[in-house]
Every structure is written in structure tokens, then in C-alpha cells.
Amino acid sequence: GENVEQHPSTLSVQEGDSAVIKCTYSDSASNYFPWYKQELGKGPQLIIDIRSNVGEKKDQRIAVTLNKTAKHFSLHITETQPEDSAVYFCAASIMNRDDKIIFGKGTRLHILP
Amino acid sequence: NAGVTQTPKFQVLKTGQSMTLQCAQDMNHEYMSWYRQDPGMGLRLIHYSVGAGITDQGEVPNGYNVSRSTTEDFPLRLLSAAPSQTSVYFCASSYLSGTEHLFFNYGYTFGSGTRLTVV
């Protein structure tokens, strides 16, 4: 089955700097890659996603890139702010009837003042 | 605008007790699933359902049962609780969309979680 590896497990960046979180997936059939943000005591929330027919997608300060050949995808957060501090999860999914999402183990992002 | 509602928020069980974690969504989502979250392990899929009357196992199904009698509800049952089931449990739902032959899972909505402790 699908396996998603996520790095780093913890990331600290100065406020205003950029943060990058990287993920790899094992199943070349995966074609949907969402990213979730989880704040303390809450459930994960979808922040951006990308499909395999697209190489990059942006939404204000966040962007996701996908390299299908290398089977890796990344989340980029620019001009980081204190409210970006959270745990971020990448995930991969395959388009079929029994579709399910497999998550990475998460990255705890700390924004330093 | 309830979204996905999980009850209870907190629960303490004794080893061997049974209980049901409730999950309900009001978005008419076909797809529903249960995850458990443990420190350093991320979110692991327990069971999922692509529609009423259809369920399937995820990565860590042992010790858990599910049923899907309606589109709205997807309860998770622990038949005989064990300390290894101490965790935070999340229910999630989404649309399925696609052609007659393909269904595409699209954007989960998560509940706020149930923190379960088994002593």
C-alpha cells in the first residue's frame, strides 16, 4: 500500500522567513496530494491540495510543488507569521472507488519571534 | 453549519469495557473515515466507508468495528477496550465525485476529535 514519508519532524524559523516541508510517496498511482494544518486541540484542516496533472499551486503565502518523476511534493510558506505555528500533515491519495488518504507523520512548525 | 460532529470529546474507559464513538456529518458526504492520532505516528486510518452499507478496513483496524446505515452517521465501536487504544480519534468526511467508473476523494473535513484514555 501507499506510504508517505514527511520531513522534517520539527522545524523552527524566524518570523518573516520561509518554511519548507517535504514529503515523498511510494505509489506512483497516487494523484491527489492534500496538505493539512492542525492547531492545538483541534482537528486537521485542509489548507491546500494539488492534483497530479499540475506541477505547482499557490494560495497567497502558501504553495505546493509536485515532482511526479521523483515522487515527492513540498509545502512552501513564505513571510511566516506567528499564526503559522502548528502541525502540518502531507497526504497522498489514489483516484479509484475505494479511495482513501494516507498521511505523513507530521511536521511541527515553530515560528520564532 | 455543523460540519462533522464527534461525541464525546473526552472519555475514560476501564480495560475490557466497550463503547461507541459517534460521528455525524450534515454535508451529504459519501465518504467517511476514522483515524487515530498518536504522538510521532501521525494520522492512521482505522476504517472507512464510501457510502451507506459499505465499509472497509484501513491500516489499523484490529479492535474496532464500524457500520454505515445512513449517509450521515459513521459510529466507531470498541468491543473490549485495551490500553493500546488510548489515543485521539478523528472522524473525517468528504465528497466522492467522478465518472461512472472513477470516484475521487476530494477534501476531507475533520471533526474536533475524541480523546480516549483506557486504564
Side-chain angles (χ1 to χ4, degrees), chain A residues 36 38 51 96 99-101, chain B residues 31 35 37 103 105 108:
Chain A
Y36 288 81
Q38 185 178 28
R51 303 189 185 192
N96 61 40
D99 201 11
K100 56 191 177 185
I101 289 181
Chain B
Y31 191 102
Y35 288 85
Q37 185 174 28
F103 294 88
N105 205 332
Y108 276 8

Side-chain angles (χ1 to χ4, degrees), chain B residues 78-98:
Chain B
L78 284 70
L79 298 179
S80 180
S84 60
Q85 294 178 304
T86 293
S87 187
V88 180
Y89 292 84
F90 287 100
C91 178
S93 72
S94 73
Y95 288 114
L96 285 175
S97 62

Side-chain angles (χ1 to χ4, degrees), chain B:
Chain B
N1 60 343
V4 178
T5 302
Q6 287 185 239
T7 56
K9 293 189 181 300
F10 301 94
Q11 183 70 50
V12 178
L13 287 178
K14 293 182 179 179
T15 298
Q17 286 185 317
S18 63
M19 80 160 295
T20 299
L21 280 63
Q22 301 292 343
C23 176
Q25 53 91 9
D26 61 357
M27 298 170 285
N28 204 30
H29 284 167
E30 301 95 342
Y31 191 102
M32 297 186 74
S33 56
W34 278 100
Y35 288 85
R36 60 177 289 174
Q37 185 174 28
D38 303 291
M41 299 299 291
L43 294 154
R44 293 184 292 171
L45 181 64
I46 304 171
H47 286 285
Y48 64 100
S49 168
V50 298
I54 305 170
T55 63
D56 208 343
Q57 296 181 349
E59 303 168 87
V60 288
N62 292 340
Y64 307 95
N65 282 348
V66 292
S67 60
R68 184 93 180 270
S69 57
T70 67
T71 299
E72 295 79 19
D73 299 298
F74 191 44
L76 179 71
R77 298 183 185 87
L78 284 70
L79 298 179
S80 180
S84 60
Q85 294 178 304
T86 293
S87 187
V88 180
Y89 292 84
F90 287 100
C91 178
S93 72
S94 73
Y95 288 114
L96 285 175
S97 62
T99 67
E100 177 183 358
H101 301 293
L102 286 175
F103 294 88
F104 185 56
N105 205 332
Y106 172 72
Y108 276 8
T109 298
F110 278 85
S112 56
T114 295
R115 183 174 294 275
L116 175 67
T117 302
V118 183
V119 298

Side-chain angles (χ1 to χ4, degrees), chain A residues 50-95:
Chain A
I50 191 168
R51 303 189 185 192
S52 60
N53 59 348
V54 175
E56 183 176 4
K57 183 177 180 181
K58 292 183 179 180
D59 183 4
Q60 300 183 346
R61 294 187 298 108
I62 61 173
V64 58
T65 58
L66 171 65
N67 183 327
K68 288 189 294 183
T69 302
K71 290 191 285 188
H72 68 70
F73 56 113
S74 301
L75 178 72
H76 304 254
I77 306 174
T78 59
E79 301 174 5
T80 53
Q81 301 171 2
E83 55 265 34
D84 295 329
S85 292
V87 178
Y88 291 81
F89 292 97
C90 63
S93 183
I94 302 174
M95 181 186 296

